[in-house]
Amino acid sequence: ECMKRADVNQQTTSDESTVVFEAGTDGYPHIRIPSILKLADGMLLAFAEARQGGDHAKNDIVAKRSTDGGGTWGPLQVIDDQGGDSLNDPLPVEVGFGPHAGRIYLTYMSFPEGCHTDCVEAGHGSRSSRNWLTWSDDRGGSWSNPVDVTRTFRSADTNYAGSPGVGIQLERGPHRGRLVLPMRQGPIQSMRAYTVHSDDGGETWHRGEAAVNPKGGFSADEVSILELEDGSILLNCRIHNGGPKRRLRGRSNDGGASFGQLEVDEGLVSPHCMASIVMHQASDRGFERSRVIYCGPWREQGRSEGAFVSSTDAGRTWGPPTILVPGGFAYSQMVVLEPGGEVGLFYEADSYRTMRFLRFDPGRMDPAESQN
């Protein structure tokens, strides 16, 4: 066992969750890969891959919207269906201010029918993966025709690039207004993390340098990012190709253009699974101190026991875990519903049969709070 049970704060809150997507409904036998945005007007927009089978089984990119804080969800909306090709890893960002304020961008990958990450070819040819970008100017009600952005988002010596999760818009420093999308590139044997960014509201995009993996033969996988008070970007990502059952972390001081070498974050237990970080409250936004939240399955083996931990020192150290979902818990994405208040958690549960939404208040539940 990876932790002493006495070190864990148990919060059985999964019964309070609502089902957003469910396998076998809406015409799809499988559904996975959560992403979620809270729009400026409070609407929640949840994205997923609707699948006919496994990771690359004619997947479509779909969404649902909630206007009551996640209590109920509207009908399933198909954003893109490319027939036999598989669409993977929805990654949205909302433009909060500046050019195209209010626009939602969504990027994702496509794979040729019958081909997985381990068989696509390097380069930008027909047997490699493609990157797509679509956008909505009506809060997700309708979407533009997708644009092929492969040559911009991915270098020619890679065979695929993307990540589940969410993008951010920087609010501080010399790169204020920049849209930043977290990515990881193949080949699968040596994946590397990086970002793609835009300084003009999404009109043009630029690819940053790939972060250097730690020594030891393992590599970066699915990526989550947030902006810290000093304008730097904290990166947190899954480990792939062996390595410790922990997370990798890195930091960029140039708006995501580079991250240097990543390092193992020994304070975050993870069984090699997607997870997320968010800035719950920032010390330069009216709060006495910063609080960064990480959430993922808190086990070294098996995807279960969804837990969050807090950091008040910009992700350098982490407090004890609070278990939110005691049972099965796989991929997940957090969204801050109110700074310093409730957080929404969109996660895979019930042996991947459902994707659920749960509200929780880290400040009220965090065991570290009682020690201060």
Side-chain angles (χ1 to χ4, degrees):
E1 189 63 36
C2 61
M3 57 190 169
K4 298 177 181 178
R5 308 311 303 173
D7 296 337
V8 178
N9 183 36
Q10 184 77 30
Q11 297 280 348
T12 306
T13 57
S14 56
D15 290 344
E16 302 167 14
S17 65
T18 58
V19 174
V20 183
F21 297 103
E22 185 171 6
T25 64
D26 299 312
Y28 295 95
H30 301 275
I31 193 153
R32 283 202 60 197
I33 317 301
S35 182
I36 189 167
L37 290 180
K38 175 183 174 289
L39 305 185
D41 64 359
M43 176 181 287
L44 295 175
L45 192 54
F47 301 87
E49 294 176 15
R51 301 174 164 192
Q52 298 303 319
D55 284 350
H56 295 74
K58 305 179 181 180
N59 306 349
D60 299 337
I61 301 296
V62 301
K64 284 188 177 182
R65 297 192 290 176
S66 174
T67 57
D68 61 3
T72 60
W73 295 84
L76 180 138
Q77 174 189 23
V78 178
I79 296 177
D80 195 6
D81 174 358
Q82 295 190 18
D85 288 356
S86 175
L87 307 181
N88 292 79
D89 290 354
L91 178 73
V93 65
E94 183 185 26
V95 185
F97 57 92
H100 299 304
R103 174 173 288 184
I104 305 160
Y105 287 100
L106 177 68
T107 186
Y108 46 93
M109 297 183 283
S110 68
F111 290 83
E113 183 172 4
C115 196
H116 204 308
T117 50
D118 57 358
C119 72
V120 283
E121 298 175 356
H124 299 141
S126 61
R127 296 304 299 172
S128 71
S129 174
R130 318 300 299 173
N131 290 91
W132 302 92
L133 186 70
T134 181
W135 56 88
S136 173
D137 289 318
D138 59 4
R139 299 154 64 235
S142 61
W143 295 84
S144 70
N145 290 327
V147 176
D148 187 332
V149 291
T150 308
R151 292 178 181 271
T152 300
F153 278 34
R154 180 170 64 76
S155 62
D157 60 349
T158 65
N159 58 354
Y160 68 90
S163 181
V166 294
I168 61 174
Q169 184 174 29
L170 301 183
E171 300 177 1
R172 304 163 176 87
H175 303 291
R176 184 178 188 273
R178 173 174 289 183
L179 303 174
V180 187
L181 305 177
M183 310 283 281
R184 85 341 189 154
Q185 66 185 27
I188 195 169
Q189 298 85 358
S190 56
M191 289 186 288
R192 296 175 69 183
Y194 68 105
T195 67
V196 173
H197 60 269
S198 173
D199 290 317
D200 54 12
E203 287 291 327
T204 59
W205 295 86
H206 307 277
R207 189 172 62 247
E209 297 177 11
V212 178
N213 288 322
K215 295 179 180 179
F218 51 92
S219 57
D221 201 343
E222 298 148 334
V223 186
S224 182
I225 57 173
L226 58 76
E227 182 187 21
L228 296 168
E229 283 96 336
D230 62 0
S232 66
I233 297 175
L234 178 65
L235 179 150
N236 179 284
C237 69
R238 173 182 175 178
I239 290 178
H240 192 73
N241 295 320
K245 299 301 177 67
R246 295 295 186 268
R247 303 282 292 179
L248 291 179
R249 66 183 176 192
R251 193 158 170 172
S252 172
N253 294 310
D254 54 13
S258 65
F259 284 89
Q261 185 169 27
L262 304 181
E263 63 180 7
V264 176
D265 189 332
E266 297 291 351
L268 295 179
V269 175
S270 178
H272 296 177
C273 185
M274 177 206 175
S276 65
I277 53 171
V278 293
M279 176 64 81
H280 181 235
Q281 62 185 43
S283 59
D284 63 344
R285 296 292 188 268
F287 294 93
E288 290 186 6
R289 60 176 178 169
S290 167
R291 183 190 290 127
V292 173
I293 302 292
Y294 165 86
C295 184
W298 200 261
R299 293 182 64 87
E300 292 190 344
Q301 303 295 334
R303 293 173 174 177
S304 65
E305 297 191 44
F308 82 89
V309 291
S310 298
S311 172
T312 57
D313 59 5
R316 294 178 181 87
T317 61
W318 301 91
T322 297
I323 303 295
L324 295 168
V325 183
F329 184 93
Y331 279 33
S332 64
Q333 176 65 52
M334 288 184 289
V335 59
V336 177
L337 303 177
E338 178 186 356
E342 284 195 308
V343 172
L345 177 62
F346 183 33
Y347 64 98
E348 300 173 337
D350 305 311
S351 300
Y352 304 106
R353 291 192 302 273
T354 63
M355 299 177 70
R356 296 175 173 269
F357 181 78
L358 173 69
R359 299 173 69 109
F360 69 100
D361 189 331
R364 293 177 180 271
M365 301 169 67
D366 191 345
E369 290 297 298
S370 62
Q371 301 170 10
N372 294 302

